[in-house]
Amino acid sequence: MTNSHITPKQQPPINHGGAVDWAASRYGIPTSDWLDLSTGINPIAYPVPNIENAHWQRLPLTSELDDLKAAAKQYYNLPTTDHLVCAPGTQALIQMIPFWLKDRMADQATNNVHVMGPTYGEHERCWRRAGYHCQTNQTNPADRIAKATDILSTAETGTVVILVNPNNPDGAMFAPDDIFRLGKLADVRSCWLLVDEAFMDCQPDQSVCSRIDQLQNTIVLRSFGKFFGLAGARLGCAVMGLNLATDLENRVGPWAIPGPTMVVGTQAFSDTQWHQRSRTRLTADAARLDDLITKNSRLALSGGTDLFRYYDGEDCVALADHLGHRGILVRLFDHDANKVRFGLPGTDADWKRLEDAMADWHSADR
């Protein structure tokens, strides 16, 4: 067993999952030989259909965007397609919305943003870059909603509260009634609530999207790539009030979604049988992963979703290094060295590879 250990400070400069090129350089293992378990992307992707050459050769058509929105409306259970804005990835929306909202709030007194953390670091980074005073409030799942309520109850006009539901990385999920109450409070206080539902697809009945027509100042973000396993398609959606959606869509501009992505997205959103099969499989695989990790290490389950699992223990850094030397990438965190996140293996070979690595860890003398 090597004595070389990775620390959170030795993670990539912007520490996200999926940094296989960085791991390949650190461990001297070619990128093609890695099993990437550092993200929460479904390892068994929606099967991409054959795409006619025309979709690669011409600009996307308005009718194709309409079809994509119609399929997304059904999938997200929206009142109308007019509440929906499509963009080239949720990350693009996270980067765009602060600047867009700043223009809308030019006459408001505050530029305060409160992120309910620990959570996805791009929220704070992007709001700071747009010139906001942004604070990440370190919370536990048990007090996260109460903290957000306290902030909104006393906030100045224009204050933004950001909540990820279910949260990344701890997986904490809050009932749609709780989120709805926060949204109504934001309306009363003339504030804003941004809810990132990137990992909501496995439990769609917990989304607040179906009630968006009753919330004036709430913006909900949804990710296509995670549940459908097609992060490279670059498709994300924002759900909001009608006037807001029209304004943001104008900011996004024409032809933002590639034609091939529209073809895949429209079909994937509509394939209800695939949705159900995938949710059933992911639930079973999440339980299988928990059993594998907890039986072969001293780590304990700390949270997660059916797309990723979050474990706690003093061995997290050493275990991540052990796996790294075997070409398996997992996710450590700057905010807590005693936490690690695993995505799910996909193929039988991937499961066997992780099982063998964990068996080696279990049998080593520690």
Side-chain angles (χ1 to χ4, degrees):
M1 176 70 180
T2 179
N3 290 323
S4 171
H5 293 319
I6 184 173
T7 69
K9 293 298 183 184
Q10 294 171 298
Q11 290 289 314
I14 298 178
N15 186 7
H16 298 314
V20 175
D21 48 357
W22 169 87
S25 176
R26 174 175 173 79
Y27 289 98
I29 300 172
T31 56
S32 58
D33 293 342
W34 279 84
L35 171 58
D36 184 9
L37 303 180
S38 66
T39 73
I41 297 170
N42 189 341
I44 301 180
Y46 185 80
V48 176
N50 291 328
I51 297 174
E52 296 178 1
N53 285 340
H55 295 291
W56 298 100
Q57 295 173 327
R58 58 163 168 75
L59 291 171
L61 302 179
T62 300
S63 60
E64 293 167 345
L65 179 58
D66 291 342
D67 290 343
L68 176 67
K69 285 186 172 184
K73 169 192 175 294
Q74 293 299 117
Y75 181 75
Y76 294 131
N77 194 23
L78 303 180
T80 72
T81 57
D82 294 333
H83 292 279
L84 183 70
V85 178
C86 298
T90 308
Q91 178 62 33
L93 289 164
I94 290 172
Q95 293 177 189
M96 182 186 303
I97 285 173
F99 292 96
W100 164 73
L101 201 57
K102 191 172 188 178
D103 288 345
R104 291 187 63 91
M105 299 194 308
D107 59 344
Q108 296 184 352
T110 186
N111 64 347
N112 292 327
V113 176
H114 291 267
V115 180
M116 298 297 105
T119 194
Y120 183 49
E122 287 294 310
H123 286 294
E124 179 175 351
R125 187 178 76 87
C126 291
W127 287 88
R128 284 190 182 279
R129 187 175 62 182
Y132 290 82
H133 178 266
C134 189
Q135 176 182 343
T136 294
N137 298 266
Q138 299 302 322
T139 62
N140 296 311
D143 66 12
R144 196 163 293 151
I145 289 291
K147 179 66 174 177
T149 301
D150 288 345
I151 291 170
L152 284 172
S153 297
T154 59
E156 297 179 50
T157 297
T159 296
V160 180
V161 170
I162 300 172
L163 181 73
V164 180
N165 188 44
N167 191 46
N168 174 19
D170 59 40
M173 187 182 310
F174 304 100
D177 284 349
D178 291 335
I179 304 301
F180 185 78
R181 282 191 287 269
L182 284 176
K184 297 303 285 187
L185 182 57
D187 290 346
V188 170
R189 301 292 302 180
S190 296
C191 295
W192 297 90
L193 177 67
L194 189 148
V195 184
D196 183 344
E197 291 188 348
F199 289 99
M200 186 61 80
D201 298 64
C202 292
Q203 293 179 280
D205 59 327
Q206 297 301 299
S207 172
V208 77
C209 281
S210 64
R211 302 162 77 177
I212 197 64
D213 56 342
Q214 303 173 59
L215 299 171
Q216 299 175 13
N217 289 2
T218 294
I219 301 168
V220 183
L221 302 181
R222 298 296 299 252
S223 170
F224 174 79
K226 294 177 176 61
F227 176 67
F228 290 100
L230 296 172
R234 306 315 303 140
L235 175 60
C237 297
V239 176
M240 62 192 72
L242 301 180
N243 292 336
L244 295 175
T246 299
D247 193 27
L248 181 58
E249 188 160 70
N250 288 335
R251 179 67 66 97
V252 171
W255 314 307
I257 313 301
T261 294
M262 290 191 191
V263 173
V264 177
T266 300
Q267 181 170 312
F269 279 136
S270 303
D271 195 339
T272 55
Q273 292 186 352
W274 188 90
H275 304 160
Q276 188 54 54
R277 289 197 306 272
S278 295
R279 287 173 184 137
T280 300
R281 174 184 53 79
L282 288 166
T283 297
D285 284 354
R288 178 181 177 182
L289 182 61
D290 290 342
D291 185 65
L292 171 63
I293 300 303
T294 57
K295 283 187 175 179
N296 288 281
S297 73
R298 290 175 287 188
L299 302 187
L301 180 65
S302 180
T305 71
D306 285 350
L307 285 166
F308 64 82
R309 311 305 284 168
Y310 190 54
Y311 302 104
D312 178 272
E314 295 181 356
D315 294 336
C316 288
V317 171
L319 176 57
D321 189 57
H322 165 84
L323 295 173
H325 281 281
R326 287 154 180 79
I328 301 173
L329 183 62
V330 295
R331 175 77 156 83
L332 294 172
F333 296 93
D334 295 331
H335 74 270
D336 190 341
N338 292 331
K339 295 289 193 302
V340 63
R341 190 185 69 190
F342 281 67
L344 304 179
T347 65
D348 290 341
D350 290 343
W351 278 102
K352 180 65 163 57
R353 185 172 175 182
L354 180 61
E355 287 165 356
D356 289 346
M358 291 304 302
D360 290 345
W361 174 262
H362 181 68
S363 63
D365 182 22
R366 299 182 199 294

